[in-house]
Amino acid sequence: MRRISLVLALALAVPASALAQAARLPWTAGDKPPSVAGVKLGDALAAVIHSLGEPEAVDTLSPGNYSLAWLKRGVSAVVAERDGVTIVNATKRAAAELGGVRVGDTRASVQAKLGTPAKEQGPSWLYEVGAWTVVVQFHAQNDAVVRIGVGRS
């Protein structure tokens, strides 16, 4: 019991900022990007449809570039005919996790797991990992994660 009390006292004595600084990304430059809902960067359109089924929404961004959404699953992707998947996102908690982060997690939880982001763009934190980036987007009102994703840098 004394050991548990000592550990708890030490944990409470460490400032949250120090814990966030100690958090590190689970990836380094040169690592392959993680999949999101089973979709990997570079996957061909046919492979994505085979994995997730027909998308519920399709928009043509430009000739040969498409935005696809599986709304019920909470997954979206940008796919180029030439390069395959360039961005993949999850907007539902059950859809995916990246480095232990899921939709619905708090800003403090994300910082404790992934550390301080390399960049912030509005409500989004960007964690750059070589040729790809992890994006964590927060709700403007309550600091909960509303989207997690991976994209080519």
Side-chain angles (χ1 to χ4, degrees), residues 8-97:
L8 183 58
L10 288 173
L12 293 174
V14 177
S17 60
L19 291 174
Q21 291 172 356
R24 301 186 77 194
L25 286 177
W27 316 282
T28 58
D31 287 349
K32 290 184 178 181
S35 66
V36 175
V39 177
K40 296 180 222 142
L41 295 182
D43 281 354
L45 177 59
V48 176
I49 291 173
H50 178 75
S51 175
L52 296 177
E54 289 292 328
E56 294 153 352
V58 178
D59 290 317
T60 301
L61 302 175
S62 62
N65 295 292
Y66 308 97
S67 173
L68 311 173
W70 294 264
L71 305 171
K72 291 176 186 169
R73 291 179 179 255
V75 178
S76 63
V78 174
V79 183
E81 287 179 355
R82 193 181 85 191
D83 299 322
V85 173
T86 58
I87 299 170
V88 59
N89 293 297
T91 57
K92 290 189 177 180
R93 187 167 182 84
E97 68 87 19

